[in-house]
Amino acid sequence: EVQLVESGGGLVQPGRSMKLSCAASGFTFSNYGMAWVRQAPTKGLEWVATISYDGSSTYYRDSVKGRFTISRDNAKSTLYLQMNSLRSEDTATYYCTRQNPGGFAYWGQGTLVTVSS
Amino acid sequence: DIQMTQSPSFLSASVGDRVTINCKASQNINKYLNWYQQKLGEAPKRLIYNTNNLQTGIPSRFSGSGSGTDYTLTISSLQPEDFATYFCLQHNSFPDTFGAGTKLELK
C-alpha cells in the first residue's frame, strides 16, 4: 500500500524558515517524480513544486521561486521542502503527492504550516 | 496558467440520487482531467484519471466524461460514504491546476 506521511509543519514567524518532510513507503520511491501541493484555509489547491525521479530537475510556482527548495533522498525514500523567507500567504496545509503519467496519483494527509507573528 | 472553473460549489443531495459535477477549462486540455475526493482530515483520493479511467478500487457508480474544455463527474447513486468534497485537476499544461472544489452535502 502506498503511504505518504508528511511532517515538520507548525507555527512559524514571517521571514523565518521551515523544512517539511514526506516519508514514502509501499512503492519504489526512486522511480517516481514527486510534488508538493498546498491548500490555504478555505481556499483551493495549488501546485507548489515538483522534482524528477532522480532529483535532476525541479520546478516551482512563481510565488515560491527563490524561497522554496524541493529535494529528495532516494536512499531514505523521503521528499523535502525547504521553505525560507516565509510569508503569511504561505499559510496552508502542504500535501506530498506522487506523480504518475495520469497526474497526482497518491497524496499524504498533509501538514499544516501557519505563518504568523 | 489554465483556469479551471468548477460548478457547483455546493451540492445538496440524498442517498440514491444521481449527481453531476462540472469542470470547465480555460482552454483545451485534451482529456487530461482527473477527479479527486477529499474527506475532512483525510488525504485526497484519486477517483478518475484522464477523463474516464476509474482508479483501481473505486466503485463503478463513479464515472467521468468530457472533452476539449468541458468535463463531468457523475455519481450514479449516492451512497452515505460519498458525502465529501470533490475537485478536478488538469495536467495537460504546466503548471497543473485545480478546480475550486464542490462540497457534496446530505440534504
Side-chain angles (χ1 to χ4, degrees):
Chain A
E1 180 193 2
V2 172
Q3 283 202 315
L4 299 169
V5 180
E6 302 94 338
S7 61
L11 176 63
V12 62
Q13 293 181 327
R16 303 298 291 265
S17 299
M18 178 173 277
K19 188 172 185 176
L20 306 182
S21 300
C22 170
S25 60
F27 65 101
T28 304
F29 183 72
S30 58
N31 285 354
Y32 292 90
M34 299 292 295
W36 290 96
V37 173
R38 69 185 180 185
Q39 185 172 31
T42 70
K43 302 284 188 183
L45 291 149
E46 65 178 17
W47 165 80
V48 175
T50 290
I51 188 167
S52 61
Y53 70 99
D54 60 355
S56 63
S57 298
T58 56
Y59 311 89
Y60 301 91
R61 70 178 302 106
D62 287 347
S63 61
V64 308
K65 273 182 191 173
R67 299 189 299 123
F68 289 13
T69 302
I70 188 172
S71 63
R72 63 191 298 158
D73 185 335
N74 284 345
K76 294 182 178 179
S77 295
T78 303
L79 176 72
Y80 302 101
L81 186 67
Q82 175 68 47
M83 303 184 294
N84 299 332
S85 303
L86 281 160
R87 306 167 180 169
S88 58
E89 55 264 36
D90 297 318
T91 293
T93 296
Y94 285 74
Y95 295 97
C96 162
T97 76
R98 192 185 91 176
Q99 299 255 199
N100 269 39
F104 304 127
Y106 296 94
W107 301 56
Q109 290 191 306
T111 187
L112 178 61
V113 173
T114 303
V115 183
S116 175
S117 54
Chain B
D1 297 3
I2 292 179
Q3 306 303 312
M4 300 301 297
T5 302
Q6 187 171 342
S7 62
S9 299
F10 297 93
L11 184 54
S12 183
S14 302
V15 172
D17 284 354
R18 178 185 178 92
V19 300
T20 59
I21 298 170
N22 301 293
C23 266
K24 186 175 184 66
S26 58
Q27 63 191 70
N28 183 9
I29 55 172
N30 297 302
K31 296 193 171 187
Y32 289 107
L33 189 285
N34 295 355
W35 291 99
Y36 297 83
Q37 178 192 69
Q38 186 177 24
K39 296 181 180 179
L40 200 61
E42 296 185 8
K45 180 193 302 183
R46 190 171 71 171
L47 303 174
I48 289 170
Y49 63 96
N50 296 347
T51 296
N52 55 11
N53 295 278
L54 200 63
Q55 183 77 15
T56 302
I58 300 301
S60 59
R61 63 181 180 273
F62 291 92
S63 64
S65 63
S67 63
T69 61
D70 294 292
Y71 298 85
T72 299
L73 171 70
T74 300
I75 309 173
S76 60
S77 178
L78 275 173
Q79 298 302 300
E81 61 269 28
D82 298 338
F83 292 94
T85 297
Y86 294 84
F87 56 90
C88 62
L89 164 75
Q90 73 79 23
H91 59 99
N92 178 68
S93 299
F94 179 85
D96 295 358
T97 48
F98 296 86
T102 296
K103 187 172 183 181
L104 178 54
E105 299 177 324
L106 181 63
K107 186 184 288 184

